[in-house]
Amino acid sequence: MGQLAGRRCLVTGAGRGIGEAIAAGLAAEGARVAVLDLDQARADAVAAQLPGGAIGVAADVSDPEQVAAAISAVEAAFGGIDALVNNAGIDTNASVVDMSLDLWDRMIAVNLRSVFLCSKAVLPGMLERGWGRIINISSQLAQKGAPDMAHYAAAKAGVIGFTRSLAYEVAAKGVTVNAICPGPVDTALWRAIPSGWRERKVSELPIGRPARVEEIVPTAVLLASDGGAYYIGATLNPNGGDIMV
Ligand code: NAP
């Protein structure tokens, strides 16, 4: 029996990268997992590889109607959602001087508004059952900042503020809300960043390399489990030593 046996989990942006790895890690611990991504075919393909009756669901996490429909569909299929991992995210690069309002707004919508929308949608069921886990994937850049990523860092810092505030609201009702702040992780998102930026970032890391996606998974499994019950509004930092707190 895995430590998540009987738990029903939803991971956003789980069609690839960190989200796919977290979905696999939760399923390996016995959870039934809903793989949410923009692309239904990719979500289905990831779900088909997972044990435990995983399903795929498509939605743009920045869109209120699509989020409501997707979460209703998962709740209908599973009978409820015990753990939500708000992982879906995008990355773009521009200095503030050159940044368009559209680029800024899209970043805030996908990386921050989504966390509000998905959390709000799953909370009533969690509060009714008196048990829930919300795990928000922020970033070490929220804590440290970085050139050409002011919009990304602002969105991810907003995720931390949201995490702490929601944690106050629901901790005594059996629902924990926490954030994970990974350092660089070797995914498509990371590889799309200009090489000079990536080389500078890696040179700042005591460990001297980006993480593999599997190195973020144990933190998510801990926070999703009964063993994570005493983490409230925390930010856990698998970041290669970039920030030591
Ligand atoms: P990734 O490889 O680009 O995967 C992100 C996934 O999210 C993709 O499957 C993507 O679908 C999906 N997605 C994007 N926008 C979406 C939307 N609006 N609605 C639903 N799904 C959407 O990225 P990753 O590196 O695994 O990153 C996952 C999370 O970790 C992000 O929140 C990211 O900010 C955070 N993070 C990453 C790093 C890093 O260095 N990689 C470090 C710290 C934090 P499409 O492919 O169809 O766009």
Side-chain angles (χ1 to χ4, degrees), residues 13-72:
R16 68 179 189 199
I18 297 168
E20 180 181 6
I22 289 174
L26 300 176
E29 288 295 334
R32 188 171 186 200
V33 177
V35 173
L36 185 150
D37 209 88
L38 279 171
D39 178 357
Q40 180 77 56
R42 194 192 295 169
D44 288 343
V46 170
Q49 301 298 315
L50 301 181
I55 61 169
V57 58
D60 177 342
V61 290
S62 68
D63 183 299
E65 282 155 20
Q66 291 187 38
V67 166
I71 287 179
S72 293

Side-chain angles (χ1 to χ4, degrees), residues 7-235:
R7 297 295 184 201
R8 302 153 298 183
C9 304
L10 169 62
V11 184
T12 70
R16 68 179 189 199
I18 297 168
E20 180 181 6
I22 289 174
L26 300 176
E29 288 295 334
R32 188 171 186 200
V33 177
V35 173
L36 185 150
D37 209 88
L38 279 171
D39 178 357
Q40 180 77 56
R42 194 192 295 169
D44 288 343
V46 170
Q49 301 298 315
L50 301 181
I55 61 169
V57 58
D60 177 342
V61 290
S62 68
D63 183 299
E65 282 155 20
Q66 291 187 38
V67 166
I71 287 179
S72 293
V74 175
E75 288 183 328
F78 287 5
I81 297 171
D82 301 306
L84 165 69
V85 182
N86 282 310
N87 166 82
I90 55 170
D91 185 29
T92 49
N93 304 96
S95 68
V96 171
V97 167
D98 293 332
M99 192 178 294
S100 68
L101 184 57
D102 282 350
L103 201 73
W104 171 272
D105 283 346
R106 185 67 188 149
M107 179 63 71
I108 301 300
V110 176
N111 286 14
L112 179 57
R113 182 168 64 183
S114 63
V115 176
F116 163 71
L117 292 174
C118 294
S119 302
K120 187 172 169 62
V122 299
L123 273 166
M126 290 179 177
L127 293 170
E128 193 181 315
R129 292 185 295 275
W131 199 98
R133 298 284 187 264
I134 296 179
I135 301 161
N136 298 323
I137 307 300
S138 177
S139 168
Q140 146 272 344
L141 296 185
Q143 301 159 311
K144 193 168 183 177
D148 300 332
M149 295 226 190
H151 56 340
Y152 181 88
K156 293 298 191 180
V159 169
I160 294 175
F162 177 84
T163 298
R164 292 174 178 165
S165 300
L166 179 57
Y168 271 107
E169 295 180 17
V170 297
K173 298 167 185 162
V175 179
T176 73
V177 189
N178 294 289
I180 300 175
C181 291
V185 185
D186 187 16
T187 65
L189 180 150
W190 166 253
R191 290 190 288 272
I193 298 172
S195 60
W197 194 103
R198 281 185 284 135
E199 282 158 21
R200 180 190 53 75
K201 186 75 241 174
V202 170
S203 75
E204 295 174 2
L205 299 176
I207 201 169
R209 63 167 178 82
R212 298 181 297 277
V213 288
E214 295 78 14
E215 292 174 305
I216 310 305
V217 173
T219 311
V221 171
L222 168 67
L223 293 175
S225 70
D226 284 317
Y230 214 66
Y231 290 92
I232 302 294
T235 55

